[in-house]
Amino acid sequence: MLSSTTIDIDRVAASFPTIDAMETELQRLEGLISRVRARQVEILAAVDHLQVPAWDGCRSLQEWVAGRLDMAPRNASDLAVLAKSASREVHDSLRTGVASADRAAGMARLENAGASETVLDRAEGVAVGQLGQLMARHRRMTPLDETQAFKARRLWFQPNLGNTLATATMAMTGADMEAVLTALDRRADTIINPHDEHRPRLEQRRIDALVYLALDHGAPVASDGPAPRRLPAHIFIDATECQRTQGEAGATTRSGIKVGPNTLREILCVGDTQTTIIDSDGLKAVPTDGDRLPQRTRDFVFFRDGGCQGDGCTSRYRLEPHHIIHQANGGDHNPELLVLLCWFHHHVVIHQYGYTIDPHSPPGRRRFLAPGVTRAPPDG
Ligand SMILES: [Zn+2]
Ligand SMILES: [Zn+2]
């Protein structure tokens, strides 16, 4: 049972004459924990020797520890490594409370990796968090390790609990990772000016580059050509839900990931994504071609604008016409209300970050208004 009383901070603080005394007490307690861990490690060594985990149907001592002691895998792994360690120094440092269990486990791993005496001596002065890096540098990689690393390659996508975000996990060899990261970073620099101090963070630019590559469908694209058709995404819209929540609910992709009002607007703007509306009468495929910008108007906007109309932007990458007044708000395909934008300004800034075009900014020098802002603040 949890007690309803919280920590009496004043009383605790008053029981120490100085801050240093607090620190000393914390260290003394950590030493106690080390000694308790040392005892656990002894018992676990016996458990391992008797092959208890195997009898209990566990894959490893680590798995057994995690289950029986209700521990996070990382901590269970530390205890298992210590239980299997043959190093007298490691066990002594834990038993006497000189080293924390984290440090002792780090040292044991380093020894297992075949580090020399010199390296081990150096490790004593290194912060616990850096022991892992030191170990990685001394670990050997056999041809078998290499094959296993390659066989472990994978890429999968997992939606979060609310289906509002998909997280991708990639596993690949170091060489493949180098190739992929180099390509992504290079591509990111072609979309977003590397000298722009306001550009998105590196990890965000990499995703932008990845999506961008996906839009290519693997085929090379002329750097200043018009944007080809967008992703063949299929959006399902529950008409009732979507209307009730102004687009904040009811729209999902085929895989179930949600699509919000910004993306819905982008679909209306670009109009090439397949849409299926579900209402009380059942399924209704939406003929998006009917909404799409007529080719003649599209060509005219390209001819008239020539490049991205964002103020100061010189990009001609994947130019797309954008509707200054969203069709959802009554805008139409009138060329006066269309503006040519590069992929970054159109897809990222307008339709994902939710910026709008300042209607008072002149053609050729269009400014962007942050979400919720309706007029540009006065200059200066
Ligand atoms: Zn648009
Ligand atoms: Zn631009």
Side-chain angles (χ1 to χ4, degrees):
M1 269 279 294
L2 284 174
S3 154
S4 61
T5 39
T6 47
I7 298 171
D8 184 347
I9 292 169
D10 293 335
R11 191 184 58 81
V12 174
S15 66
F16 291 97
T18 60
I19 301 285
D20 280 352
M22 278 186 189
E23 199 178 313
T24 310
E25 174 64 355
L26 282 171
Q27 284 163 346
R28 187 187 71 83
L29 291 170
E30 193 60 33
L32 270 181
I33 294 173
S34 292
R35 271 171 263 171
V36 173
R37 288 280 184 237
R39 178 67 181 143
Q40 282 183 318
V41 165
E42 281 174 10
I43 300 171
L44 285 174
V47 164
D48 190 44
H49 181 74
L50 295 171
Q51 299 188 344
V52 177
W55 285 109
D56 282 344
C58 292
R59 279 188 211 84
S60 62
L61 179 61
Q62 178 197 335
E63 191 180 305
W64 191 89
V65 172
R68 295 303 189 278
L69 303 186
D70 194 21
M71 272 191 174
R74 172 76 215 185
N75 298 338
S77 164
D78 279 358
L79 278 190
V81 163
L82 286 167
K84 288 169 184 285
S85 168
S87 162
R88 173 169 293 277
E89 284 86 356
V90 165
H91 288 288
D92 281 348
S93 64
L94 197 61
R95 204 176 295 131
T96 52
V98 170
S100 67
D102 290 344
R103 177 173 292 279
M107 295 296 282
R109 285 199 173 88
L110 206 53
E111 284 211 50
N112 291 347
S116 65
E117 281 296 317
T118 344
V119 173
L120 286 171
D121 282 347
R122 189 147 52 87
E124 310 234 327
V126 163
V128 175
Q130 284 167 6
L131 283 179
Q133 279 189 356
L134 207 57
M135 185 198 69
R137 206 175 306 153
H138 289 277
R139 163 162 284 156
R140 291 179 196 175
M141 187 163 193
T142 65
L144 185 66
D145 289 334
E146 269 183 297
T147 309
Q148 277 172 346
F150 184 69
K151 281 185 177 163
R153 72 193 186 282
R154 63 200 55 186
L155 164 62
W156 70 90
F157 293 88
Q158 171 139 34
N160 68 353
L161 219 53
N163 267 353
T164 54
L165 181 77
T167 301
T169 309
M170 281 197 207
M172 60 178 81
T173 64
D176 285 350
M177 187 190 79
E178 286 289 318
V180 169
L181 285 186
T182 308
L184 285 182
D185 292 351
R186 269 197 203 139
R187 179 54 69 108
D189 282 348
T190 66
I191 310 168
I192 303 154
N193 183 350
H195 305 295
D196 183 352
E197 54 181 313
H198 298 299
R199 66 183 184 159
R201 295 201 308 273
L202 178 66
E203 62 272 26
Q204 298 175 320
R205 299 199 303 272
R206 283 179 176 157
I207 288 294
D208 295 343
L210 196 61
V211 174
Y212 198 94
L213 287 168
L215 293 171
D216 279 354
H217 299 295
V221 164
S223 62
D224 55 356
R229 291 196 160 214
R230 293 193 47 81
L231 272 183
H234 192 160
I235 310 289
F236 291 85
I237 298 174
D238 180 326
T240 326
E241 269 302 286
C242 206
Q243 200 150 38
R244 194 176 62 78
T245 59
Q246 264 105 51
E248 287 185 2
T252 59
T253 60
R254 196 177 48 174
S255 62
I257 300 288
K258 289 216 168 86
V259 168
N262 286 348
T263 307
L264 282 178
R265 286 209 178 98
E266 182 170 16
I267 291 168
L268 278 172
C269 194
V270 183
D272 267 357
T273 307
Q274 198 183 344
T275 312
T276 298
I277 293 191
I278 306 156
D279 62 14
S280 45
D281 298 334
L283 292 184
K284 211 186 281 173
V286 178
T288 39
D289 272 17
D291 301 334
R292 205 167 72 221
L293 194 57
Q295 189 64 43
R296 194 183 293 266
T297 315
R298 192 179 161 84
D299 289 348
F300 171 71
V301 174
F302 271 88
F303 161 77
R304 182 193 65 193
D305 292 352
C308 178
Q309 302 294 288
D311 194 13
C313 181
T314 54
S315 175
R316 291 173 52 82
Y317 279 98
R318 271 189 195 281
L319 299 167
E320 293 175 337
H322 167 69
H323 296 75
I324 297 178
I325 299 175
H326 288 299
Q327 293 173 80
N329 298 339
D332 57 20
H333 296 325
N334 177 354
E336 294 307 308
L337 296 176
L338 288 166
V339 55
L340 201 58
L341 294 174
C342 69
W343 182 81
F344 175 71
H345 277 127
H346 189 224
H347 173 69
V348 179
V349 175
I350 298 263
H351 287 300
Q352 293 303 320
Y353 286 171
Y355 280 64
T356 51
I357 297 235
D358 179 359
H360 304 295
S361 58
R365 299 197 56 188
R366 296 295 193 174
R367 298 215 176 157
F368 303 98
L369 299 176
V373 179
T374 48
R375 284 189 71 92
D379 279 359

